Amino acid sequence: MKINETNRIGAINPYHKQNEARASEAGKARRKDEVQISAAAKEMLTTSKANSAERQEKINQLKQSVASGTYHVEAGKIAEKLLPYLKE
């Protein structure tokens, strides 16, 4: 039996070195992601319509009509809104 290229055994070392480097990096403290919300964005959240009393009233009315089974969906209005997207 003949074994060719006996020096290929050393080719494993670069991979081994990469694994060692990754392992040492994992041990170090990593920076954590941070999110900063600007003052303008915070102001937009506070003045949002989603938090208004009128919006909440409408949501409650919709919930009641769905729960009682009196909520009616108009297929024509839905089709009109979807039509521009389907034409593209």
Side-chain angles (χ1 to χ4, degrees), residues 21-77:
R22 287 184 186 151
S24 66
E25 287 177 8
K28 295 179 184 176
R30 293 187 177 198
R31 287 184 42 188
K32 295 184 179 183
D33 294 336
E34 294 181 9
V35 176
Q36 296 178 355
I37 300 174
S38 68
K42 289 178 184 176
E43 182 180 344
M44 288 173 63
L45 286 172
T46 58
T47 60
S48 173
K49 290 182 180 179
N51 295 333
S52 70
E54 295 171 1
R55 178 85 172 152
Q56 193 61 40
E57 177 72 27
K58 185 172 182 173
I59 290 171
N60 288 336
Q61 287 176 355
L62 286 171
K63 284 181 180 180
Q64 288 175 355
S65 63
V66 168
S68 65
T70 59
Y71 183 73
H72 176 68
V73 178
E74 295 185 32
K77 285 187 177 182

